[in-house]
């Protein structure tokens, strides 16, 4: 009976370990590649209170995997990897983002700085269409 | 005897020639005036077969793609498939076949107006902009004014979202309070149609263009080049919609797709011809500007009145160039005026721009710095 219990415990432990290992690997993979998004840019502002290193891009529609919405993503002020480089008004962006970069974009002039709401941070492996 | 034979032979030859002349003359005129009676569903006849042959000469008015009624297998029976093809034909030439009697949709009944149009195509004397036999899949026809639509409907909706955001930002900056942006008040319908990309943005008549996007249907997509030209019922092949640029006046056109999901956003397409001067930018000065500063752009192919710059900070329209090689404009991006009033942040943001006008689009980005 005890031997059976020990075997059962070992099997459960191995299964949990495998599950944890796979989960960690998947999380790492998602974090490395980001989540996919696509959308038509309608407005942009530089995040002036955050060192100018980021920009605030509003998309309508914005596709984040479900139904289309209107929303914003922050992006680095550096050129994007693929064609047409910078995000431009009326161009379509397609790529990846990391969710949860809420306070990365502050707009205004110190001391008057406000958070511009966004869904996350666009990763450089994003491309844009011509307009 | 010899004279008799010669005379007899000459008369015989003359008779043969006359017969040949009348046969050819009759055949030509019979062909030219094929359609004389009204045609409708349920009728049989050679004229129905001629009608089907003519309809089958254009991929947009095919009676049937396969089997009975398809090209080479015209039946001479006016059935539902012929009626559908006649409707497409009437809508393609609505200005001549429907508009004069106040109709906007095809009826499938071949009456006097449709007969006139069919006969003019048979004789080739209609002075058409594009002969029907040369039409290709995805071909465009010119729409009468009453059938033209507002192709900028979605652009206007998106423009209102933009204007609303700019207004909130400016009020926030003016009052030095949080603009409190809330996106939940803006809605996008789930099946809306949007253009993501087109394979090329400029080219002469005959250029094949692939349009990719969201919300395209497997059939039933209409593509507009400006409000005047439409290619009806384009099928999506999985990668997008394929069109061929029609033989229309060179210049800038806004391209949209419509279907039951609505009207898409517009993208620019420039139809070029042998007179088109390529657009290019050779320099921008100064290389670094603040809000409201003047920039001078030099290059070639500039339009006198209709240059548009598109940048990561927005679009700047109707910039004039009196000499075609230089132009000046004030860089005042939306939403940045209020920041300028609050003070300088000391940051530099790179600006990337392209130029569009009726001559085309610059093929690479030009850059300058924006000091904020």
């Amino acid at each position: 009976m005890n031997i059976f219990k020990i075997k059962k415990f070992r099997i459960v432990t191995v299964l949990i370990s495998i599950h944890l290992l796979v989960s960690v690997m998947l999380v790492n993979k998602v974090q490395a590649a980001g989540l996919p998004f696509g959308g038509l840019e309608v407005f942009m502002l530089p995040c002036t209170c955050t060192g100018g290193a980021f920009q605030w891009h509003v998309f309508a529609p914005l596709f984040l995997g479900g139904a289309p919405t209107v929303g914003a993503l922050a992006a680095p002020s550096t050129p994007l990897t693929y064609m047409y480089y910078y995000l431009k008004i009326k161009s379509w962006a397609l790529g990846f983002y990391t969710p949860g970069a809420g306070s990365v974009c502050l707009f205004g002039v110190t001391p008057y700085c406000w958070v511009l709401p966004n869904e996350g941070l666009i990763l450089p492996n994003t491309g844009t269409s011509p307009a | 005897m010899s004279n008799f034979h010669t005379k007899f032979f000459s008369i015989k030859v003359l008779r043969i020639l006359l017969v040949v002349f009348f046969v050819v003359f009759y055949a030509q005129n019979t062909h030219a005036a094929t359609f004389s009676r009204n045609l409708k569903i349920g009728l049989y006849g050679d004229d129905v077969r001629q009608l089907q042959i003519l309809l089958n000469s254009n991929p947009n008015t095919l009676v049937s793609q396969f089997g009975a009624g398809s090209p080479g297998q015209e039946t001479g029976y006016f059935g539902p498939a012929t009626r559908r093809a006649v409707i497409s034909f009437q809508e393609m030439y609505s200005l001549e076949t429907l508009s004069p009697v106040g109709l906007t949709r095809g009826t499938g009944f071949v009456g006097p107006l449709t007969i006139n149009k069919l006969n003019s195509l048979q004789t080739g004397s209609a002075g058409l902009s594009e002969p029907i036999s040369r039409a290709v899949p995805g071909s465009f026809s010119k729409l009468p004014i009453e059938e033209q639509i507002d192709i900028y409907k979605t652009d206007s909706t998106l423009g209102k979202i933009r204007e609303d955001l700019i207004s909130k930002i400016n009020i926030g900056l003016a009052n030095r309070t949080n603009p409190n942006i809330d996106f939940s008040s803006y809605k996008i319908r789930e099946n809306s149609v949007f253009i993501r990309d087109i394979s090329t943005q400029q080219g002469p008549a005959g250029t094949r263009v692939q349009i990719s996007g969201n919300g395209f249907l497997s059939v039933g997509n209409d593509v507009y080049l400006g409000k005047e030209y439409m290619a009806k019922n384009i099928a999506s092949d999985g990668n997008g919609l394929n069109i061929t640029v029609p033989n229309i006046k060179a210049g800038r056109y806004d391209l949209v797709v419509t279907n039951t999901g609505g009207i898409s956003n517009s993208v620019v397409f420039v139809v070029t011809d042998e007179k088109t001067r390529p657009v290019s930018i050779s320099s921008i000065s100064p290389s670094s500007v603040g809000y409201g500063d003047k920039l001078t752009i030099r290059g070639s192919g500039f339009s006198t009145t209709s240059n548009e710059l598109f940048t990561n900070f927005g679009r700047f329209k109707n910039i004039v160039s009196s000499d075609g090689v230089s132009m000046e404009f004030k860089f005042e991006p939306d939403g940045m005026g209020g920041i300028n009033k609050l003070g300088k942040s000391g940051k530099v943001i790179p600006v990337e721009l392209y130029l569009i006008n009726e001559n085309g689009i610059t093929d690479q980005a030009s850059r300058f710095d924006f000091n904020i």
Side-chain angles (χ1 to χ4, degrees), chain B residues 19-34 50:
Chain B
V19 168
V20 168
F21 172 78
F22 280 114
V23 165
V24 169
F25 180 83
Y26 179 77
Q28 280 182 341
N29 282 276
T30 304
H31 180 69
T34 302
Q50 284 299 319

Side-chain angles (χ1 to χ4, degrees), chain B residues 49-112:
Chain B
R49 203 170 68 81
Q50 284 299 319
L51 170 68
Q52 291 170 327
I53 290 170
L54 198 146
L55 292 169
N56 279 340
S57 68
N58 185 325
N60 292 327
T61 57
L62 282 179
V63 174
S64 176
Q65 202 161 6
F66 308 103
S70 62
Q73 296 187 54
E74 290 83 1
T75 60
Y77 171 64
F78 197 125
T82 306
R83 184 175 177 274
R84 279 195 296 274
V86 168
I87 289 171
S88 298
F89 177 86
Q90 289 169 324
E91 291 181 353
M92 181 183 289
Y93 295 103
S94 60
L95 201 59
E96 292 139 293
T97 61
L98 302 172
S99 303
V101 287
L103 295 173
T104 55
R105 296 280 168 212
T107 59
F109 173 76
V110 180

Side-chain angles (χ1 to χ4, degrees), chain B residues 265-296:
Chain B
N265 54 311
S266 71
V267 295
V268 177
F269 188 87
V270 179
V271 178
T272 58
D273 64 11
E274 68 281 356
K275 291 177 191 163
T276 303
R277 297 164 298 151
V279 187
S280 69
I281 292 175
S282 55
S283 70
I284 299 177
S285 60
S287 59
S288 184
V289 294
Y291 181 86
D293 287 351
K294 201 178 276 184
L295 277 161
T296 302

Side-chain angles (χ1 to χ4, degrees), chain A residues 40 42-43 46 48 51-52 55-56 60-61 63 70 84 86-87 89-90 92 107-109 112 114 129-131, chain B residues 155 158 162 166 176-178 183 194 196-197 201 214 266 310 312 314-315 336 339 343 347 349-350 352 354 372:
Chain A
L40 184 67
V42 293
F43 188 51
T48 50
Q55 297 172 358
W56 184 66
F63 291 90
V70 177
Y84 303 103
Y86 289 100
L87 293 161
I89 308 300
K90 284 192 78 175
W92 192 281
F107 179 71
V109 176
Y112 308 106
W114 305 283
S129 70
Chain B
D155 282 355
L158 300 178
R162 176 182 163 82
I166 292 166
R176 297 179 180 183
T177 55
N178 191 334
F183 291 116
F194 285 100
R196 282 200 310 264
D197 200 0
Q201 280 197 281
N214 288 46
S266 71
F310 56 108
N312 42 327
R315 295 200 163 204
M336 296 305 293
I339 279 280
K347 307 295 182 298
I349 306 287
E352 192 174 72
Y354 289 81
I372 51 175

